Amino acid sequence: MEHWLRKRAHLSPNELAIETMDEQWTFKQLYEKAVSFARKIAFLKGKHVAILSENSLDIIVAFWGCTMLESKIIFLNTKLRERELIQQCETADVEAVIGQSDKVQPLNLALPTFTFEDIESLPILDVEISVEMDLSSICSMMFTSGTTGTAKAVTQTYENHWSSAIASSLNLGLESHDKWLISLPIFHISGLSTVIKSAIYGMPIFLMPSFDATKINQAIQTRGVTHISVVSTTCQRLLENLGDNQYPDTFRCMLLGGGPAPKSLLEEAAEKAIPIIQTYGMTETCSQISTLAMKDALQKIGSAGKALFTASLEIRHGDKKLETNQIGEIVVKGPMVTSGYYDAEKANKESFLSNWFYTGDMGYVDEDGFLYVVDRRSDLIISGGENIYPAEIEDVLLSLEGVKEAGVTGIENTEWGEVPVAFLVTEKQWSEEALIDYCAQHLARYKIPKKFYFCESLPRNATNKLQRHLLKTKLTNK
Amino acid sequence: MEHWLRKRAHLSPNELAIETMDEQWTFKQLYEKAVSFARKIAFLKGKHVAILSENSLDIIVAFWGCTMLESKIIFLNTKLRERELIQQCETADVEAVIGQSDKVQPLNLALPTFTFEDIESLPILDVEISVEMDLSSICSMMFTSGTTGTAKAVTQTYENHWSSAIASSLNLGLESHDKWLISLPIFHISGLSTVIKSAIYGMPIFLMPSFDATKINQAIQTRGVTHISVVSTTCQRLLENLGDNQYPDTFRCMLLGGGPAPKSLLEEAAEKAIPIIQTYGMTETCSQISTLAMKDALQKIGSAGKALFTASLEIRHGDKKLETNQIGEIVVKGPMVTSGYYDAEKANKESFLSNWFYTGDMGYVDEDGFLYVVDRRSDLIISGGENIYPAEIEDVLLSLEGVKEAGVTGIENTEWGEVPVAFLVTEKQWSEEALIDYCAQHLARYKIPKKFYFCESLPRNATNKLQRHLLKTKLTNK
């Protein structure tokens, strides 16, 4: 298939591709900047290139530029500590890191690193760039952890991204005035998938560096934004900020993902006639796999809808399909589902069964076929839209002198949805301050436990496996 | 991929699938009727099944029913004579014919034939029907002729149909109130592709048995129709019938295909603010391959736009790509393009060069990348939206006693666009009446030459090949 951005620049050269508070780029401009970026870093052709950047025009140009070199793009989370970044670069066989100067410069990675400014000043080489895309090849990788505590790189092919964009359009429609606001990070799938939709649909994006309720509400009210992707906490903040004001009728989709949403929030939005569309998806499914249709949004509050047109979804216990209304593991299939974690045979064996991907999340399907997500995978903590894997934090705590056992779980929090808390069995007295300090050296801030509890033992099953879901019970007994 | 109609019935069970003047069917109803149809003719599983029917609910049910049996569906043109139908059934290895009783019953085909009523009265068998579709397998075949005069069966895979529907949606958009009127035959790709889009998009179709300007204009004005596919002649008749009336603002696309359109027609439509969108496509590309975008419709009157998102298009002379504004053969590529004619190695060799399909049509691309179709393949006559291949008519005429040479070409006609006329070199005197009678026995009515000219010789080139384009010159000299 012809390169998406190239084709779009041919079809809609003068249409708006990206809008920020101050700038407007057409598809032709974006394409030309991406081509020039690619020609400047042509020496990275075909390599594994990590991008470390917050939302900016630069990260979008860098992404498209790398696709024109058939490089595999590894997206790094800017909130991570050096230790975490090093681990991820090793896991994904990264050969060079490019990014925002204040993020890239302080790093000591033993890898070639280039800031966007470095690249800007490079000469434009007279090299061929790819005018086609091989759909079956890997476009990007993003990290997710798991029960082991070691981050795994989810591979996302061009086919995965394409199928995700198409399946979404068959559900949400494609209207000529659509404009999708991006405030969630582009290094996460929600942001990246919208960047890609923009080229495929010929739809402008309204780009924000980060979440800012006031600015977002202004953009929806005065800049023609029709779509925005949110998670529960950001949705809540938008509604609070909106107060008694209203969104214009042209605003047609607030796509709510990132875990089950409180019913009170959904009902408040329904009262205000805010078009919240619940969705279920993850890095492994290249964003949405199941989304409520607009026509069902009010009848099925709390549901994440049905599997998108090209996707399938079942509730299983092991390999057994469960009946209507029975809670079990959500398993999914479709052309937007990753074909596996990079270089992780064991994890792939555990997660896939004849093309079905076992999400680890729990849910049920009602008598009309609508999915209800009961709980993201039992050990996953979702805090302000970021996934936190307890095992990773436990590993850090266990590396401390005198810590014999460590268990981490999430507790409810009005601002962030959930926050992590830790349970420790220690031989040595540690102050909370010292623990926080130690964690801060090794972990992104959002992963640092908000509270530490000292106990005599942790709940374990017969095979001595930590039972994290019982940690919460410990808390209520305290 | 899950079967499209099954999936759509799951996603939108109670949404409207088909509307006629008198009836309304939901996707659930359509699906159930198709399943029951499939179970009644389960003995045709996997076979080559021809359908011979005008537009009706029956032909749609029969089409979907056959897909559930993984039968290959051969669409036959109801205007053809028995001789032509027999030839096509042989070419496509048809094993059974089903259809409308007044079309099927008079036939003497040496093949099992079933009218829709026959099938209605069959018992529903308790057999498994397919819940998935193998995208790479052949879904349908439709006939097109060529320079040889023998009809060739164009194979259309599920992938071809899927890609066509998706590429069209990326250009025309998908809005929640879309409703596409079908008045062109479903046995042609324009009609069938709309039936398929309906299931993929979740969009109702408004089905008409045939073209009727008054009824169509009424449907657009009072029944919420938003899209209609037309050819020049039907477009002209709609405009005449509309007179000084207007279409509602919700009517957003009159998709005009089937050959170059007179500029006067396009300008008249533009004056009346009728949203004509010119397109270029053919049976071999599963409908549109190049379509004007709505935003460009007024600036580029007369152009068939740019190749759709997943398609590519070049102007070539042989294997050499021509420059901007140079007229040459239109060659196309994309996942909606047929992988070949059925069982026709020679024709496939002639028409394909490393995945590029040579259309035989002439055109050029302007400096902004817009396609202008100058002429459909030089020997093709397009009459009221039906393709007529001169060689086929010539074959019939040459089979007449005393006819030494025959040449057929199209001349302009206000009602039909073009009509065929014949040039004959004869050893025996034939009356025009006798010639018409003879043709009527062997050819569909629309193929019968409207005029016969007797000459001493026909224009031929050095290798004695008939130069049909010079026949017209003969006419102006007369």
Side-chain angles (χ1 to χ4, degrees), chain A residues 7 10 15 174 295 306 311, chain B residues 7 10 15 174 306 311:
Chain A
K7 178 73 178 186
H10 170 68
E15 303 286 303
L174 287 177
K295 63 181 164 55
K306 295 175 179 174
Chain B
K7 179 71 177 187
H10 171 68
E15 303 286 302
L174 287 176
K306 296 175 179 175

Side-chain angles (χ1 to χ4, degrees), chain B residues 171-418:
Chain B
N171 181 43
L172 299 178
L174 287 176
E175 301 195 5
S176 56
H177 298 296
D178 285 350
K179 186 188 286 183
W180 204 312
L181 186 145
I182 301 183
S183 67
L184 295 174
I186 290 171
F187 57 72
H188 282 338
I189 189 59
S190 159
L192 179 65
S193 66
T194 309
V195 168
I196 291 172
K197 285 187 182 93
S198 165
I200 293 175
Y201 300 168
M203 169 189 76
I205 50 181
F206 193 96
L207 181 67
M208 292 220 163
S210 60
F211 182 84
D212 180 321
T214 307
K215 284 186 183 161
I216 291 175
N217 278 339
Q218 276 171 5
I220 296 174
Q221 286 167 318
T222 66
R223 304 285 289 258
V225 167
T226 58
H227 292 61
I228 180 175
S229 303
V230 295
V231 295
S232 292
T233 53
T234 53
C235 176
Q236 182 70 63
R237 284 194 248 165
L238 286 176
L239 262 61
E240 276 165 21
N241 180 278
L242 187 65
D244 290 333
N245 294 318
Q246 292 239 311
Y247 288 132
D249 289 345
T250 47
F251 179 62
R252 69 187 192 87
C253 175
M254 187 177 276
L255 192 67
L256 173 60
K263 197 145 190 202
S264 59
L265 175 65
L266 299 172
E267 283 165 353
E268 187 190 338
E271 266 172 40
K272 291 189 176 181
I274 292 171
I276 288 201
I277 310 285
Q278 261 202 285
T279 182
Y280 169 67
M282 63 212 78
T283 311
E284 286 90 337
T285 61
C286 267
S287 113
Q288 310 163 56
I289 185 111
S290 171
T291 305
L292 205 54
M294 293 195 179
K295 63 181 166 55
D296 301 316
L298 283 176
Q299 287 78 37
K300 292 288 180 181
I301 285 186
S303 164
K306 296 175 179 175
L308 296 181
F309 197 83
T310 53
S312 305
L313 182 153
E314 288 184 359
I315 303 297
R316 292 195 189 171
H317 182 74
D319 58 357
K320 184 173 159 278
K321 189 177 166 180
L322 299 185
E323 300 297 311
T324 295
N325 288 319
Q326 280 192 296
I327 294 177
E329 184 171 0
I330 304 169
V331 300
V332 297
K333 194 170 77 165
M336 67 288 276
V337 177
T338 180
S339 43
Y341 302 105
Y342 181 73
D343 196 18
E345 202 183 334
K346 185 159 167 282
N348 288 333
K349 258 196 194 147
E350 285 167 4
S351 299
F352 291 89
L353 187 65
S354 33
N355 285 325
W356 288 93
F357 172 66
Y358 281 67
T359 64
D361 298 328
M362 306 300 280
Y364 67 93
V365 167
D366 75 6
E367 51 287 351
D368 298 321
F370 288 82
L371 171 70
Y372 291 78
V373 180
V374 175
D375 211 352
R376 296 305 288 247
R377 63 179 91 177
S378 52
D379 54 353
L380 176 65
I381 303 163
I382 304 183
S383 187
E386 293 282 356
N387 290 352
I388 300 177
Y389 301 89
E392 189 186 358
I393 304 173
E394 290 159 8
D395 278 0
V396 168
L397 291 169
L398 287 167
S399 68
L400 250 182
E401 190 199 332
V403 173
K404 280 174 64 188
E405 295 184 45
V408 170
T409 189
I411 57 165
E412 273 190 40
N413 178 282
T414 32
E415 190 175 359
W416 302 103
E418 283 185 302

Side-chain angles (χ1 to χ4, degrees), chain A residues 5-23:
Chain A
L5 184 59
R6 182 176 193 267
K7 178 73 178 186
R8 178 51 62 194
H10 170 68
L11 288 175
S12 321
N14 305 316
E15 303 286 303
L16 196 58
I18 311 179
E19 194 177 336
T20 67
M21 291 310 247
D22 321 303
E23 285 195 80

Side-chain angles (χ1 to χ4, degrees), chain B residues 112-150:
Chain B
T113 57
F114 305 89
T115 68
F116 293 136
E117 291 77 8
D118 292 340
I119 295 168
E120 180 65 35
S121 65
L122 292 174
I124 297 183
L125 304 175
D126 184 21
V127 289
E128 290 269 312
I129 56 152
S130 304
V131 298
E132 301 219 327
M133 280 170 161
D134 171 10
L135 289 193
S136 67
S137 72
I138 293 172
C139 168
S140 51
M141 297 192 212
M142 289 180 178
F143 286 88
T144 152
S145 231
T147 47
T148 61
T150 316

